[in-house]
Amino acid sequence: MLLPAPSLLAEIDIIHLLFGAKGLVLVVAILLVISIFTTIFVILYKLIHISQAQSQSITFLDRFWESKRLDDIYRVAEQLKYSPLAAMFRAGYIELSKVKKGQNESTGSMHEKMDGLENIERALARAKVSETTKLENLMPLLATIGSAAPFVGLLGTVWGIMEAFSAIAASGSADLATVSGPIAEALVATATSLMSAIPAVMAYNYFNRRIKVLGAEMTTFGSDYTNIVKRHFF
């Protein structure tokens, strides 16, 4: 009578296989474990950062369209440190203040007004680039892990299988007991690389989409703010 086979999870101790490896396979295993924890950290950080940026931007837009005074909006914008729209408004407001001060001290010709408007547009553009850079912080790390981790795991797998065949050649025996350990260690390296790469790629695509939405909102806000400034100050 045959006894039931033990479960696969009971037979395989992944932690033991990972850190019981030797040489290059062990180095690959350590790198992949580090990449897993790095991916988790980046995902949590970006989730908090982008969520704050979106929620504060919604709050800012509500106050922006409700209020009729730019100085009141500026005070609100100063409190919303994570909103890229608030940052753009602050940059535009400061530049507008400089332009109006310069116009009061000069003749206020049409040429000077056009220069002032261009200065405000450049300030908004610089702020948009700066805020986009902040939103994209650590995104290249996710992309790197997502693209490189499978190849690092494959390197560990190939090397582990090479060691398994070397063990066969040294022992002169190709029985399962001789090769199962090294091959299992090699395959676990591939599995670990996928555990790192798949979440990294999914998170990168998810956050990239949310950043594009915020980028579109910044572009729209920049146009709206410029139109308001044209109507009321130029």
Side-chain angles (χ1 to χ4, degrees):
M1 180 179 179
L2 295 176
L3 295 175
S7 67
L8 183 60
L9 291 178
E11 291 182 355
I12 299 177
D13 185 348
I14 295 180
I15 302 299
H16 174 74
L17 287 174
L18 275 176
F19 296 101
K22 299 177 182 178
L24 182 62
V25 179
L26 178 60
V27 173
V28 167
I30 293 173
L31 289 175
L32 291 174
V33 170
I34 292 174
S35 70
I36 289 175
F37 285 104
T38 301
T39 300
I40 294 172
F41 168 77
V42 174
I43 289 174
L44 293 176
Y45 173 80
K46 295 303 295 182
L47 188 63
I48 295 172
H49 181 203
I50 295 178
S51 296
Q52 287 178 326
Q54 286 186 322
S55 62
Q56 289 193 5
S57 293
I58 293 172
T59 301
F60 172 76
L61 282 177
D62 291 340
R63 297 299 298 271
F64 178 80
W65 293 113
E66 289 173 359
S67 180
K68 297 181 179 180
R69 293 180 56 86
L70 292 182
D71 52 352
D72 292 339
I73 301 173
Y74 182 78
R75 284 191 288 270
V76 173
E78 283 187 315
Q79 300 174 0
L80 303 175
K81 300 298 183 181
Y82 296 102
S83 169
L85 302 185
M88 288 182 65
F89 176 84
R90 291 195 299 268
Y93 180 85
I94 292 172
E95 189 63 34
L96 176 62
S97 300
K98 294 178 181 178
V99 170
K100 296 303 294 181
K101 182 179 179 180
Q103 288 179 353
N104 292 334
E105 296 174 353
S106 63
T107 58
S109 63
M110 181 60 66
H111 178 72
E112 290 177 343
K113 290 181 179 180
M114 293 303 297
D115 288 343
L117 184 60
E118 290 178 357
N119 289 339
I120 294 172
E121 291 176 344
R122 282 195 294 268
L124 292 172
R126 286 195 301 269
K128 179 184 176 182
V129 171
S130 176
E131 292 303 309
T132 302
T133 302
K134 292 178 183 178
L135 290 171
E136 292 177 346
N137 183 33
L138 297 180
M139 289 291 286
L141 184 57
L142 281 179
T144 301
I145 292 175
S147 60
F151 295 102
V152 174
L154 181 61
L155 174 62
T157 299
V158 171
W159 194 269
I161 292 175
M162 288 171 58
E163 290 184 342
F165 282 111
S166 297
I168 293 173
S171 64
S173 173
D175 59 358
L176 186 60
T178 303
V179 300
S180 60
I183 290 179
E185 293 171 359
L187 294 178
V188 166
T190 298
T192 308
S193 69
L194 295 178
M195 290 171 60
S196 174
I198 292 174
V201 171
M202 294 177 65
Y204 177 85
N205 292 331
Y206 172 70
F207 292 134
N208 191 51
R209 180 183 175 277
R210 294 183 67 175
I211 291 172
K212 285 183 178 180
V213 171
L214 283 169
E217 291 178 355
M218 285 189 282
T219 300
T220 302
F221 174 76
S223 299
D224 293 339
Y225 184 76
T226 303
N227 291 333
I228 291 173
V229 170
K230 284 181 181 178
R231 288 198 303 266
H232 293 88
F233 297 100
F234 293 93

PDB file of all heavy atoms in Angstrom, residues 206-223:
ATOM      1  N   TYR A 206       1.017  51.357 -12.745  1.00  0.00           N
ATOM      2  CA  TYR A 206      -0.063  51.989 -11.980  1.00  0.00           C
ATOM      3  C   TYR A 206       0.298  53.421 -11.600  1.00  0.00           C
ATOM      4  O   TYR A 206      -0.475  54.363 -11.839  1.00  0.00           O
ATOM      5  CB  TYR A 206      -0.347  51.159 -10.732  1.00  0.00           C
ATOM      6  CG  TYR A 206      -1.302  51.795  -9.759  1.00  0.00           C
ATOM      7  CD1 TYR A 206      -2.656  51.924 -10.070  1.00  0.00           C
ATOM      8  CD2 TYR A 206      -0.864  52.270  -8.530  1.00  0.00           C
ATOM      9  CE1 TYR A 206      -3.543  52.511  -9.175  1.00  0.00           C
ATOM     10  CE2 TYR A 206      -1.736  52.850  -7.631  1.00  0.00           C
ATOM     11  CZ  TYR A 206      -3.067  52.965  -7.958  1.00  0.00           C
ATOM     12  OH  TYR A 206      -3.937  53.548  -7.075  1.00  0.00           O
ATOM     13  N   PHE A 207       1.480  53.601 -11.031  1.00  0.00           N
ATOM     14  CA  PHE A 207       1.897  54.944 -10.615  1.00  0.00           C
ATOM     15  C   PHE A 207       2.150  55.843 -11.810  1.00  0.00           C
ATOM     16  O   PHE A 207       1.882  57.049 -11.752  1.00  0.00           O
ATOM     17  CB  PHE A 207       3.147  54.860  -9.740  1.00  0.00           C
ATOM     18  CG  PHE A 207       2.919  54.229  -8.403  1.00  0.00           C
ATOM     19  CD1 PHE A 207       3.786  53.271  -7.909  1.00  0.00           C
ATOM     20  CD2 PHE A 207       1.830  54.584  -7.620  1.00  0.00           C
ATOM     21  CE1 PHE A 207       3.580  52.683  -6.682  1.00  0.00           C
ATOM     22  CE2 PHE A 207       1.604  53.995  -6.385  1.00  0.00           C
ATOM     23  CZ  PHE A 207       2.478  53.045  -5.912  1.00  0.00           C
ATOM     24  N   ASN A 208       2.660  55.285 -12.890  1.00  0.00           N
ATOM     25  CA  ASN A 208       2.905  56.082 -14.090  1.00  0.00           C
ATOM     26  C   ASN A 208       1.599  56.655 -14.637  1.00  0.00           C
ATOM     27  O   ASN A 208       1.561  57.816 -15.082  1.00  0.00           O
ATOM     28  CB  ASN A 208       3.596  55.224 -15.151  1.00  0.00           C
ATOM     29  CG  ASN A 208       4.109  56.036 -16.316  1.00  0.00           C
ATOM     30  OD1 ASN A 208       4.811  57.026 -16.131  1.00  0.00           O
ATOM     31  ND2 ASN A 208       3.776  55.629 -17.527  1.00  0.00           N
ATOM     32  N   ARG A 209       0.554  55.871 -14.588  1.00  0.00           N
ATOM     33  CA  ARG A 209      -0.754  56.366 -15.044  1.00  0.00           C
ATOM     34  C   ARG A 209      -1.250  57.499 -14.148  1.00  0.00           C
ATOM     35  O   ARG A 209      -1.745  58.521 -14.636  1.00  0.00           O
ATOM     36  CB  ARG A 209      -1.763  55.228 -15.060  1.00  0.00           C
ATOM     37  CG  ARG A 209      -3.159  55.659 -15.512  1.00  0.00           C
ATOM     38  CD  ARG A 209      -4.152  54.527 -15.451  1.00  0.00           C
ATOM     39  NE  ARG A 209      -5.498  54.989 -15.781  1.00  0.00           N
ATOM     40  CZ  ARG A 209      -6.316  55.577 -14.910  1.00  0.00           C
ATOM     41  NH1 ARG A 209      -5.924  55.779 -13.662  1.00  0.00           N
ATOM     42  NH2 ARG A 209      -7.524  55.978 -15.288  1.00  0.00           N
ATOM     43  N   ARG A 210      -1.106  57.337 -12.843  1.00  0.00           N
ATOM     44  CA  ARG A 210      -1.562  58.381 -11.924  1.00  0.00           C
ATOM     45  C   ARG A 210      -0.735  59.662 -12.092  1.00  0.00           C
ATOM     46  O   ARG A 210      -1.271  60.771 -11.987  1.00  0.00           O
ATOM     47  CB  ARG A 210      -1.491  57.883 -10.479  1.00  0.00           C
ATOM     48  CG  ARG A 210      -2.461  56.748 -10.188  1.00  0.00           C
ATOM     49  CD  ARG A 210      -2.437  56.309  -8.741  1.00  0.00           C
ATOM     50  NE  ARG A 210      -2.950  57.337  -7.848  1.00  0.00           N
ATOM     51  CZ  ARG A 210      -3.119  57.145  -6.526  1.00  0.00           C
ATOM     52  NH1 ARG A 210      -2.808  55.975  -5.983  1.00  0.00           N
ATOM     53  NH2 ARG A 210      -3.587  58.118  -5.770  1.00  0.00           N
ATOM     54  N   ILE A 211       0.544  59.526 -12.355  1.00  0.00           N
ATOM     55  CA  ILE A 211       1.395  60.693 -12.585  1.00  0.00           C
ATOM     56  C   ILE A 211       0.990  61.400 -13.874  1.00  0.00           C
ATOM     57  O   ILE A 211       0.993  62.637 -13.949  1.00  0.00           O
ATOM     58  CB  ILE A 211       2.881  60.281 -12.619  1.00  0.00           C
ATOM     59  CG1 ILE A 211       3.334  59.841 -11.219  1.00  0.00           C
ATOM     60  CG2 ILE A 211       3.754  61.410 -13.128  1.00  0.00           C
ATOM     61  CD1 ILE A 211       4.720  59.225 -11.189  1.00  0.00           C
ATOM     62  N   LYS A 212       0.628  60.633 -14.909  1.00  0.00           N
ATOM     63  CA  LYS A 212       0.174  61.246 -16.159  1.00  0.00           C
ATOM     64  C   LYS A 212      -1.119  62.032 -15.938  1.00  0.00           C
ATOM     65  O   LYS A 212      -1.306  63.102 -16.531  1.00  0.00           O
ATOM     66  CB  LYS A 212      -0.043  60.168 -17.224  1.00  0.00           C
ATOM     67  CG  LYS A 212       1.245  59.623 -17.821  1.00  0.00           C
ATOM     68  CD  LYS A 212       0.952  58.616 -18.919  1.00  0.00           C
ATOM     69  CE  LYS A 212       2.245  58.113 -19.559  1.00  0.00           C
ATOM     70  NZ  LYS A 212       1.969  57.116 -20.634  1.00  0.00           N
ATOM     71  N   VAL A 213      -1.997  61.516 -15.092  1.00  0.00           N
ATOM     72  CA  VAL A 213      -3.239  62.235 -14.790  1.00  0.00           C
ATOM     73  C   VAL A 213      -2.923  63.553 -14.099  1.00  0.00           C
ATOM     74  O   VAL A 213      -3.479  64.613 -14.445  1.00  0.00           O
ATOM     75  CB  VAL A 213      -4.155  61.364 -13.908  1.00  0.00           C
ATOM     76  CG1 VAL A 213      -5.346  62.177 -13.408  1.00  0.00           C
ATOM     77  CG2 VAL A 213      -4.655  60.156 -14.690  1.00  0.00           C
ATOM     78  N   LEU A 214      -2.011  63.510 -13.124  1.00  0.00           N
ATOM     79  CA  LEU A 214      -1.612  64.745 -12.450  1.00  0.00           C
ATOM     80  C   LEU A 214      -0.926  65.703 -13.416  1.00  0.00           C
ATOM     81  O   LEU A 214      -1.097  66.915 -13.329  1.00  0.00           O
ATOM     82  CB  LEU A 214      -0.683  64.421 -11.274  1.00  0.00           C
ATOM     83  CG  LEU A 214      -1.367  63.869 -10.023  1.00  0.00           C
ATOM     84  CD1 LEU A 214      -0.326  63.346  -9.038  1.00  0.00           C
ATOM     85  CD2 LEU A 214      -2.222  64.943  -9.361  1.00  0.00           C
ATOM     86  N   GLY A 215      -0.121  65.153 -14.342  1.00  0.00           N
ATOM     87  CA  GLY A 215       0.527  65.998 -15.343  1.00  0.00           C
ATOM     88  C   GLY A 215      -0.483  66.712 -16.224  1.00  0.00           C
ATOM     89  O   GLY A 215      -0.319  67.901 -16.551  1.00  0.00           O
ATOM     90  N   ALA A 216      -1.551  65.992 -16.618  1.00  0.00           N
ATOM     91  CA  ALA A 216      -2.603  66.621 -17.424  1.00  0.00           C
ATOM     92  C   ALA A 216      -3.324  67.701 -16.628  1.00  0.00           C
ATOM     93  O   ALA A 216      -3.666  68.765 -17.175  1.00  0.00           O
ATOM     94  CB  ALA A 216      -3.594  65.558 -17.895  1.00  0.00           C
ATOM     95  N   GLU A 217      -3.541  67.451 -15.346  1.00  0.00           N
ATOM     96  CA  GLU A 217      -4.181  68.456 -14.496  1.00  0.00           C
ATOM     97  C   GLU A 217      -3.298  69.695 -14.350  1.00  0.00           C
ATOM     98  O   GLU A 217      -3.801  70.830 -14.345  1.00  0.00           O
ATOM     99  CB  GLU A 217      -4.490  67.859 -13.122  1.00  0.00           C
ATOM    100  CG  GLU A 217      -5.583  66.800 -13.148  1.00  0.00           C
ATOM    101  CD  GLU A 217      -5.831  66.201 -11.782  1.00  0.00           C
ATOM    102  OE1 GLU A 217      -5.087  66.547 -10.836  1.00  0.00           O
ATOM    103  OE2 GLU A 217      -6.776  65.390 -11.647  1.00  0.00           O
ATOM    104  N   MET A 218      -1.975  69.493 -14.252  1.00  0.00           N
ATOM    105  CA  MET A 218      -1.064  70.637 -14.163  1.00  0.00           C
ATOM    106  C   MET A 218      -1.089  71.461 -15.445  1.00  0.00           C
ATOM    107  O   MET A 218      -1.068  72.695 -15.402  1.00  0.00           O
ATOM    108  CB  MET A 218       0.356  70.153 -13.848  1.00  0.00           C
ATOM    109  CG  MET A 218       0.555  69.725 -12.411  1.00  0.00           C
ATOM    110  SD  MET A 218       2.301  69.413 -11.997  1.00  0.00           S
ATOM    111  CE  MET A 218       2.523  67.793 -12.732  1.00  0.00           C
ATOM    112  N   THR A 219      -1.127  70.780 -16.587  1.00  0.00           N
ATOM    113  CA  THR A 219      -1.189  71.494 -17.867  1.00  0.00           C
ATOM    114  C   THR A 219      -2.465  72.317 -17.970  1.00  0.00           C
ATOM    115  O   THR A 219      -2.441  73.492 -18.372  1.00  0.00           O
ATOM    116  CB  THR A 219      -1.113  70.502 -19.035  1.00  0.00           C
ATOM    117  OG1 THR A 219       0.117  69.769 -18.952  1.00  0.00           O
ATOM    118  CG2 THR A 219      -1.185  71.218 -20.369  1.00  0.00           C
ATOM    119  N   THR A 220      -3.587  71.712 -17.595  1.00  0.00           N
ATOM    120  CA  THR A 220      -4.867  72.419 -17.647  1.00  0.00           C
ATOM    121  C   THR A 220      -4.887  73.596 -16.689  1.00  0.00           C
ATOM    122  O   THR A 220      -5.342  74.696 -17.033  1.00  0.00           O
ATOM    123  CB  THR A 220      -6.010  71.449 -17.307  1.00  0.00           C
ATOM    124  OG1 THR A 220      -5.996  70.352 -18.228  1.00  0.00           O
ATOM    125  CG2 THR A 220      -7.352  72.148 -17.384  1.00  0.00           C
ATOM    126  N   PHE A 221      -4.364  73.370 -15.481  1.00  0.00           N
ATOM    127  CA  PHE A 221      -4.352  74.449 -14.499  1.00  0.00           C
ATOM    128  C   PHE A 221      -3.458  75.601 -14.970  1.00  0.00           C
ATOM    129  O   PHE A 221      -3.797  76.776 -14.783  1.00  0.00           O
ATOM    130  CB  PHE A 221      -3.864  73.943 -13.146  1.00  0.00           C
ATOM    131  CG  PHE A 221      -3.689  75.035 -12.125  1.00  0.00           C
ATOM    132  CD1 PHE A 221      -4.795  75.592 -11.507  1.00  0.00           C
ATOM    133  CD2 PHE A 221      -2.424  75.521 -11.803  1.00  0.00           C
ATOM    134  CE1 PHE A 221      -4.641  76.622 -10.579  1.00  0.00           C
ATOM    135  CE2 PHE A 221      -2.266  76.533 -10.884  1.00  0.00           C
ATOM    136  CZ  PHE A 221      -3.377  77.087 -10.266  1.00  0.00           C
ATOM    137  N   GLY A 222      -2.309  75.272 -15.559  1.00  0.00           N
ATOM    138  CA  GLY A 222      -1.428  76.316 -16.063  1.00  0.00           C
ATOM    139  C   GLY A 222      -2.116  77.187 -17.093  1.00  0.00           C
ATOM    140  O   GLY A 222      -1.985  78.422 -17.077  1.00  0.00           O
ATOM    141  N   SER A 223      -2.876  76.560 -17.988  1.00  0.00           N
ATOM    142  CA  SER A 223      -3.610  77.320 -19.009  1.00  0.00           C
ATOM    143  C   SER A 223      -4.698  78.184 -18.371  1.00  0.00           C
ATOM    144  O   SER A 223      -4.871  79.358 -18.729  1.00  0.00           O
ATOM    145  CB  SER A 223      -4.222  76.369 -20.031  1.00  0.00           C
ATOM    146  OG  SER A 223      -3.228  75.614 -20.689  1.00  0.00           O
TER     147      SER A 223
END
